Amino acid sequence: AAGVIQSPRHLIKEKRETATLKCYPIPRHDTVYWYQQGPGQDPQFLISFYEKMQSDKGSIPDRFSAQQFSDYHSELNMSSLELGDSALYFCASSSERERGLDNEQFFGPGTRLTVL
Amino acid sequence: DQQVKQNSPSLSVQEGRISILNCDYTNSMFDYFLWYKKYPAEGPTFLISISSIKDKNEDGRFTVFLNKSAKHLSLHIVPSQPGDSAVYFCAASAISGAGSYQLTFGKGTKLSVIP
């Protein structure tokens, strides 16, 4: 079965540079979530999109922005990178149509961002 | 403030025995709970979930129990297998005003199943 695809898998940037992370949800999934997991930490919710509209916002810095496109893929744009942005960034997808009591989110493999 | 707590950072269990991973939460608005398994360098893999209207959900070797009054849930793995060795995250969700089901995670418990 198709899973969530994230690219790139690894990214190395220098301070003050910009980075763009991409997420391709499971086919027919309409909702995308972004999470950040720092070293030794639990994943923290950043932002979510449903049907190309932002649906919720968590602890996402103002330097970050994201959007969901017409094909439902999503991009997380990160500017003025700081050392503390080094983390694993996970994308997850789910389906509103299949939601009811089942709110499973399916995660991608993550992008490991290292800021030097 | 950690709304989902996994107080045991690690757990070691003999192969064939039962593994019990515990999770506590503080937010009464949480109405759906999930367990994810994570290997290094991979994304969390969904294992099993439970709605707040139930107190037990079973799927093969995995059973999740929910005690709403105690705000406690547990994941039982029987029998434990070496391939179960991974970090297990407890997660909870509540619908936000925007219709989002963002997950709040615990810090994880590293399970080691000893052959």
Side-chain angles (χ1 to χ4, degrees):
Chain A
V4 176
I5 297 172
Q6 290 188 246
S7 68
R9 292 295 309 275
H10 302 272
L11 190 58
I12 299 175
K13 291 285 185 178
E14 297 199 354
K15 282 172 55 177
R16 292 181 287 278
E17 285 192 321
T18 61
T20 297
L21 309 185
K22 297 184 179 182
C23 169
Y24 298 86
I26 292 172
R28 292 183 298 281
H29 278 195
D30 48 30
T31 306
V32 167
Y33 299 81
W34 285 96
Y35 293 86
Q36 176 193 58
Q37 185 180 22
Q41 300 297 313
D42 51 294
Q44 296 287 322
F45 170 72
L46 291 178
I47 195 167
S48 63
F49 293 87
Y50 166 64
E51 284 291 345
K52 294 152 278 184
M53 299 288 290
Q54 181 182 309
S55 54
D56 201 3
K57 202 170 181 178
S59 50
I60 183 169
D62 292 340
R63 300 176 289 107
F64 295 5
S65 64
Q67 56 183 324
Q68 187 179 29
F69 295 85
S70 57
D71 63 351
Y72 294 100
H73 94 272
S74 178
E75 295 184 3
L76 177 65
N77 299 294
M78 311 159 72
S79 63
S80 303
L81 287 169
E82 302 174 356
L83 296 178
D85 297 329
S86 295
L88 264 173
Y89 290 83
F90 291 108
C91 170
S93 74
S94 67
S95 173
E96 174 68 28
R97 285 185 296 278
E98 295 174 9
R99 199 169 295 143
L101 295 178
D102 298 333
N103 300 334
E104 290 90 11
Q105 294 177 23
F106 296 88
F107 283 75
T111 294
R112 181 172 293 282
L113 172 66
T114 302
V115 181
L116 303 176
Chain B
D1 178 34
Q2 193 76 17
Q3 296 187 65
V4 177
K5 300 177 184 178
Q6 293 176 257
N7 292 320
S8 298
S10 62
L11 175 67
S12 290
V13 173
Q14 285 290 133
E15 180 178 4
R17 299 291 189 103
I18 183 171
S19 295
I20 300 177
L21 296 96
N22 293 302
C23 178
D24 298 290
Y25 63 96
T26 58
N27 188 342
S28 302
M29 299 302 292
F30 288 144
D31 59 4
Y32 198 71
F33 304 90
L34 309 90
W35 285 94
Y36 284 86
K37 176 180 177 180
K38 187 178 181 305
Y39 294 114
E42 294 185 12
T45 301
F46 170 74
L47 267 180
I48 193 169
S49 60
I50 188 166
S51 163
S52 60
I53 64 173
K54 296 182 179 179
D55 55 17
K56 177 182 175 182
N57 189 26
E58 192 171 354
D59 184 3
R61 296 186 298 114
F62 302 92
T63 303
V64 56
F65 296 92
L66 174 63
N67 183 334
K68 280 179 58 180
S69 60
K71 293 191 177 66
H72 176 84
L73 64 154
S74 60
L75 173 67
H76 292 211
I77 307 174
V78 182
S80 301
Q81 299 173 355
D84 296 329
S85 297
V87 176
Y88 288 77
F89 285 98
C90 172
S93 76
I95 186 169
S96 74
S100 169
Y101 294 86
Q102 59 167 285
L103 296 178
T104 301
F105 286 85
K107 291 199 175 295
T109 296
K110 184 176 182 180
L111 173 67
S112 300
V113 180
I114 304 163

